[in-house]
Amino acid sequence: MPAVGLVCYRHIDCAALYGNEKEIGTVLKNLFNEGVVKHEDLWITSKLWCDMQAPEDVPVAIDETLKDLQLDCLDMYLIHWPVKLKKGSVGFKPEVEDLDKVDMPSTWKAMEAVYDSGKTRAIGVSNFSTTKLVDLLEVARVPPAVNQVECHPGYSPLGSPGLTFIKSNVLTDPIVTMVAEKLGKTPAQVCLRWGLQMGHCVLPKSTTEARVKENLDVFDWSIPEDLFAKFSEIEQERLPKGTAFVHEMLGHYKTIEELWDGEV
């Protein structure tokens, strides 16, 4: 990520799965050393990957993330998915034999322990259904501070067009492009502005400095009410469904409906 992104975007959303925490750590260290920004001016999130959900692995995972990011503590640490994989499973498409039994109460207790240790200022979850969130609240001593979820009109929130497993047309959706044309903005800017007007914390990603700057130009204008209402007409679809985490015989979740508790 270009330095401009870290200077202007105050929420840095990381995860062990993303495979870039060492690079982000190097950039953060340089920015801190140069006095460009302080950690307290940022909000840095990371996520526990599914193969490190065993209670004894959670502190190991956050220590590795802190080492890579060159930080003493995180601002937020999330359970990436309500899915458990056998240790050493790599990537978002694990082998079927890597699927393991979920024990969320035990994993959450370990998350509470790293919170108590001061290694993260808050803990939360990601990709949890309402049902799974309610179940977690029943056993949590420290309630999750956030459930980071997909939110349309764009996932990530621009449709993640660079990801081969995401089949998204968010940036070419007729309503998005119509609004963008009327306002003289790009489809990406319109999607980001929609999220802001919805009151969401949007987390865009780009590896192109020009687009990073372009994505920041969303604060001195708004989408008029009549055009904003048009977004409700966009057909909703969950893009990262997590199909690789489901197996009718070997998986903890036998169907996609079970993984999402019907919220598909």
Side-chain angles (χ1 to χ4, degrees), residues 6 8 13 39 42 70 72 78 92 102 120 123 133 144 147 188 195 197 200 203 212 255 258 263:
L6 289 172
C8 300
D13 187 60
H39 184 177
L42 304 175
Q70 303 187 53
D72 295 325
L78 308 178
F92 194 72
V102 176
T120 182
I123 52 176
L133 194 58
N147 181 21
Q197 286 183 224
H200 301 152
L203 299 169
V212 171
T255 65
E258 188 176 346
E263 298 175 12

Side-chain angles (χ1 to χ4, degrees), residues 8-72:
C8 300
Y9 289 119
R10 300 292 173 158
H11 186 169
I12 312 301
D13 187 60
C14 309
L17 176 68
Y18 300 161
N20 61 356
E21 292 189 332
K22 288 184 178 179
E23 292 80 0
I24 290 175
T26 298
V27 173
L28 287 172
K29 182 179 180 180
N30 290 338
L31 290 173
F32 295 160
N33 288 343
E34 294 167 7
V36 176
V37 70
K38 300 176 182 178
H39 184 177
E40 52 263 38
D41 299 323
L42 304 175
W43 184 267
I44 302 173
T45 296
S46 188
K47 306 179 192 73
L48 175 76
W49 186 236
C50 305
D51 72 329
M52 297 295 281
Q53 281 193 17
E56 65 272 17
D57 291 332
V58 174
V60 176
I62 194 171
D63 284 348
E64 186 65 26
T65 280
L66 290 171
K67 178 182 176 182
D68 288 345
L69 291 174
Q70 303 187 53
L71 298 173
D72 295 325

Side-chain angles (χ1 to χ4, degrees), residues 11 13 18 45 47 78-82 124-133 145-158 194 200-203 236-240 260 263:
H11 186 169
D13 187 60
Y18 300 161
T45 296
K47 306 179 192 73
L78 308 178
I79 295 176
H80 207 148
W81 281 80
V125 296
S126 177
N127 298 306
F128 273 49
S129 68
T130 302
T131 297
K132 287 180 175 57
L133 194 58
V146 69
N147 181 21
Q148 188 184 101
V149 295
E150 173 185 0
C151 184
H152 283 225
Y155 169 72
S156 288
L158 303 178
W194 175 87
H200 301 152
C201 176
V202 294
L203 299 169
Q236 297 296 286
E237 180 184 3
R238 191 180 298 281
L239 299 180
W260 293 104
E263 298 175 12

